């Protein structure tokens, strides 16, 4: 079967590589039909690339090729990926993607277009890179009420936090190392401010609970305020700080979804997820906690997930997969700060007496080199708004959510 | 859609419970059709059970009910489960099962019968209880050459080892605790001798590499020889002992598959899998390592996996799922002892000089209370046969494989 690849960057070139190097397994899994790359769309030139004859700068070469039934979109960004994908789906071609920004922003419209034309729109690679998560989650869903999802969804920030936790490296040094290793971009904003994790939370939430969640509905906080002092305090209670995307079921019409640093206790499967690895924990009412771990990014891992979707799309040319969701609404995602209760880690310039006067008996933490006017403690369960009220007169340095995953 | 459940033990009664309590999600996932339990087959009586009217002792009540299209087999054991399943599949009814013994022994025949009649035979719950593994693995397969699989596949032994490692409890006390908690049977042989893990290895190996592997082809060693002394030595090198099922690709016509205690280093995702939890790590050439973690047993987790398969079977009444495999052969699984090289942990009554004379420079381990005539060390990579030759004149106490997972 003829296929096309749009975007010949890291993932796209990986897709072509995996298709060529895994001809045997792919052919076996499609039931006998190999995938053959017929077009590669990219505006750049790749002189000397062995696929020179396949390159095109004209999207219509793919759209108008009736033999191309499956297209991988690995361009990234919303436009022109959205327009191209929409046209392909409307023309009845299936599209698979690693583009989390597009799925998070425009997934609903694209899924609806696919629904109408009978094509498939698959996006396994858009969350968790090479980790199979879309199908396992869909399967968990079949006989569970999902209570919550928590994920380490961004490899760059997990790498930085791992260096801070395990090697006592400070944030800016760890960020620089991530950049030197190619894990972080020159402008690391999307990673360290949590925007990338936010997009993945949108996709997971949409899938888990059946209604589209948009990035602007997800309160998002990055890791730039985390310091080695916080790491040390949390270490003293056998915990680690991770950037987590969290989704919580409230009712069929309400969920909470947020991205933030969070304290995870040793012993949790999420605590031992280090470096650039990702993990997604799904809590179901029947199954309990299941967790999926693997490389969250990287050329070949992500490409292998894209190609697996291409294989699935090729097998399902004549019938629909049912991954998808409906429309949400503005008030579908609640303000978690007024609704979700949890314990918090608080670090402040204050003395214990003052804190106890406000919070009653709390668990104080300590670290080597702790100044006499600094306290750190874990609160009881309460909403973040309630916490903020209590802390109104306190000189707070940092607040971090404490999870029960 | 009418369904039936065969075997009303822990899992079977859980299946009925999940079907009834999760009507809303199930109906959503089947695309609008609820599952309705029409028959429950069990030779025992359950006086006062609210499903009294559904019970039958006659298998033919299920076989002859044309409206029943999907049957859950949660009886366990090979017979009569095999005969019943075969008849159902030949009659075109789909069967889903949690019965690892049956899938490991007779999976090939049953899959062939399903293939012929166009019914589905699904077995997600037979490996890893509630952990989705069959479909994710099948998906990893689509664009990866699988290099190996390693799994903590038995909750009982993992519970025992966890108690030995974390609470310094000796084997027999930990086994007794497992029995008191209902995690181990009165006769714990199938768990502690590795037979249960062996069956799951057969299923994973058959699925991963496409050819049926039978239990008698898998060299199987349990955990009864593991002592607290071994635990202490391994702890000194930041490792833990786990009962692992391992499968290694050698060529398209050869694999290795074995069950044994194995040393796993801290930092591995398998090292932090504690208590009755299971985890399965799949190593692909493109994706790298992905790992699936969750409850490996238990009434509702396992039942939720069975019901998820029932939902899938209900959705696929008119078309085939492609999970399956072909025939293997007697020499398909190699003697790993002569082929697979790895490092080994060795504990022996000997002195270091003698060991160094045999092995050259090796890494010696130590523990508190170590007798002066005892050594423990890690060898270089070699086959187990080569190791046995070297150790011919040595008074060996224990040997444990060291993994690179």
């Amino acid at each position: 079967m003829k296929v096309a690849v749009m975007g010949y960057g890291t993932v796209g070139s990986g897709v072509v590589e995996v298709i060529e190097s895994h001809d045997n397994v792919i052919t076996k899994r499609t039931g006998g039909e190999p995938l053959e790359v017929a077009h590669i769309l990219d505006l750049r030139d790749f002189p000397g690339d062995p696929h020179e004859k396949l390159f095109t700068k004209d999207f219509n070469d793919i759209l108008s090729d009736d033999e191309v039934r499956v297209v991988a979109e690995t361009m990234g960004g919303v436009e022109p990926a959205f327009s191209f994908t929409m046209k392909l789906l409307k023309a009845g071609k299936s599209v698979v993607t690693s583009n989390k920004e597009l799925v998070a922003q425009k997934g609903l419209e694209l899924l609806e277009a696919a629904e109408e034309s009978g094509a498939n729109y698959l996006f396994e690679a858009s969350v968790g890179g090479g980790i199979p998560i879309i199908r396992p989650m869909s399967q968990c869903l079949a006989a569970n009420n999902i209570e919550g999802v928590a994920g380490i969804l961004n490899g760059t920030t997990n790498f930085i936090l791992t260096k801070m936790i395990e090697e006592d490296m400070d944030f800016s040094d760890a960020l620089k190392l991530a950049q030197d290793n190619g894990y972080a971009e020159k402008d690391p904003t999307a990673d360290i401010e949590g925007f990338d994790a936010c997009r993945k939370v949108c996709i997971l939430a949409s899938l888990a609970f059946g209604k589209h969640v948009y990035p602007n509905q997800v309160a998002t906080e990055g890791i730039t305020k985390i310091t080695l002092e916080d790491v040390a305090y949390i270490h003293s209670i056998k915990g680690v700080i991770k950037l987590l995307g969290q989704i919580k079921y409230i009712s069929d019409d309400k969920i909470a979804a947020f991205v933030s640093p969070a304290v995870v206790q040793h012993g949790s499967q999420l605590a031992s997820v280090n470096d650039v690895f990702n993990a997604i924990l799904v809590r179901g009412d029947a199954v309990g906690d299941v967790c999926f771990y693997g490389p969250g990014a990287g050329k070949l891992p992500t490409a292998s997930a894209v190609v697996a979707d291409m294989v699935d799309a090729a097998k399902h040319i004549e019938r629909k997969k049912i991954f998808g969701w409906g429309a949400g609404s503005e008030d579908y995602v609640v303000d978690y700060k007024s609704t979700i209760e949890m314990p918090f880690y608080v670090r402040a310039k204050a003395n214990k007496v003052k804190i106890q006067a406000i919070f009653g008996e709390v668990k104080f933490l300590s670290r080597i080199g702790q100044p006499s006017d600094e306290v750190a403690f874990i609160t009881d369960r309460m909403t973040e708004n309630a916490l903020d009220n209590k802390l109104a007169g306190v000189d707070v340095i940092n607040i971090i959510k404490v999870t029960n995953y």
Side-chain angles (χ1 to χ4, degrees), chain A residues 5-323:
Chain A
V5 177
M6 304 195 300
Y8 197 64
T10 306
V11 177
S13 60
V15 168
V16 175
E17 185 180 330
V18 168
I19 288 176
E20 292 177 348
S21 60
H22 288 71
D23 194 41
N24 56 338
V25 282
I26 291 168
T27 304
K28 211 186 285 176
R29 305 307 289 188
T30 57
E33 196 164 13
L35 300 183
E36 183 200 334
V37 180
H39 309 278
I40 302 172
L41 178 70
D42 205 297
L43 293 180
R44 296 167 292 184
D45 291 308
F46 298 89
D49 187 286
H51 308 95
E52 225 159 355
K53 285 183 185 158
L54 305 178
F55 284 106
T56 174
K57 295 183 164 69
D58 183 0
F59 166 69
N60 289 306
D61 286 348
I62 294 172
L63 185 64
S64 63
D65 186 338
D66 290 340
E67 287 181 63
V68 170
R69 304 292 300 272
V70 176
V71 179
E73 183 268 297
T74 51
M75 306 168 70
V78 173
E79 281 296 354
F82 174 64
S83 306
F84 290 175
T85 302
M86 190 56 102
K87 283 181 187 162
L88 291 166
L89 291 172
K90 286 191 170 165
K93 296 185 199 295
S94 290
V95 179
V96 312
T97 187
S98 59
N99 185 341
K100 56 230 166 201
E101 195 178 350
L102 182 60
V103 180
Q105 290 284 3
K106 300 285 190 181
L108 178 63
E109 291 164 69
L110 293 168
L111 286 162
E112 283 173 349
E115 184 64 38
E116 259 177 53
S117 74
N120 282 298
Y121 185 52
L122 304 177
F123 44 88
E124 179 64 70
S126 68
V127 182
I131 311 172
I133 176 65
I134 304 294
R135 285 164 188 76
M137 189 145 117
S138 169
Q139 191 190 3
C140 291
L141 284 166
N144 275 277
N145 294 305
I146 302 292
E147 297 174 345
V149 178
I152 295 171
L153 300 168
N154 179 270
T156 307
T157 46
N158 204 46
F159 177 85
I160 292 170
L161 290 170
T162 302
K163 291 293 159 192
M164 293 176 72
I165 292 163
E166 303 214 325
E167 297 176 25
D168 220 24
M169 202 178 275
D170 74 16
F171 174 79
S172 57
D173 287 347
L175 171 59
K176 188 170 178 312
L177 184 63
Q179 288 172 318
D180 291 347
N181 283 350
Y183 298 148
E185 317 257 340
K186 231 181 192 172
D187 175 0
T189 312
D191 290 322
I192 63 176
E193 295 296 354
F195 304 148
D196 175 76
C198 169
R199 291 167 192 147
K200 293 164 179 169
V201 161
C202 292
I203 300 170
L204 289 174
S206 303
L207 194 71
F209 299 112
K211 295 182 184 180
H212 196 107
V213 171
Y214 293 91
N216 64 8
Q217 296 181 290
V218 177
T220 299
E221 183 190 328
I223 62 165
T224 53
K225 282 195 283 182
I226 306 296
T227 66
L228 288 178
E229 289 74 28
D230 300 314
V231 168
Y233 280 120
I234 301 297
H235 180 74
S236 77
I237 51 162
K238 299 193 173 179
V240 290
I241 303 170
K242 294 289 183 187
L243 182 68
L244 286 196
Q246 296 190 61
I247 306 159
K248 289 178 191 288
Y249 174 85
I250 296 172
S251 71
D252 284 355
D253 298 315
K254 298 277 176 220
I255 65 164
F258 45 97
V259 172
S260 72
V263 175
V264 179
Q265 296 291 316
H266 291 174
S268 160
Q269 280 298 301
L270 294 176
S272 57
V273 176
N274 286 331
D275 300 322
V276 293
F277 284 89
N278 282 195
I280 296 141
L281 185 152
V282 180
R283 181 168 287 174
D285 67 341
V287 74
D289 288 355
V290 294
C291 189
F292 309 96
Y293 164 92
K299 177 175 179 163
L300 292 183
T302 307
S304 81
V306 172
V307 175
D309 268 353
M310 295 176 88
V311 169
D312 210 15
K315 283 194 316 204
H316 287 84
I317 282 297
E318 301 304 334
R319 51 190 216 238
K320 279 290 297 173
K321 301 288 290 184
I322 60 146
F323 306 123

Side-chain angles (χ1 to χ4, degrees), chain A residues 323-357:
Chain A
F323 306 123
W325 52 76
S329 63
E330 246 178 67
D331 61 352
Y332 172 56
V333 183
V334 303
D335 173 20
Y336 82 88
K337 291 187 181 181
S338 63
T339 26
I340 304 291
E341 293 190 343
M342 60 191 128
F344 292 88
Y345 156 90
V346 179
R347 179 156 71 105
K349 288 257 172 260
N351 63 51
K352 290 188 181 180
V353 175
K354 180 169 182 180
I355 296 302
Q356 278 168 330

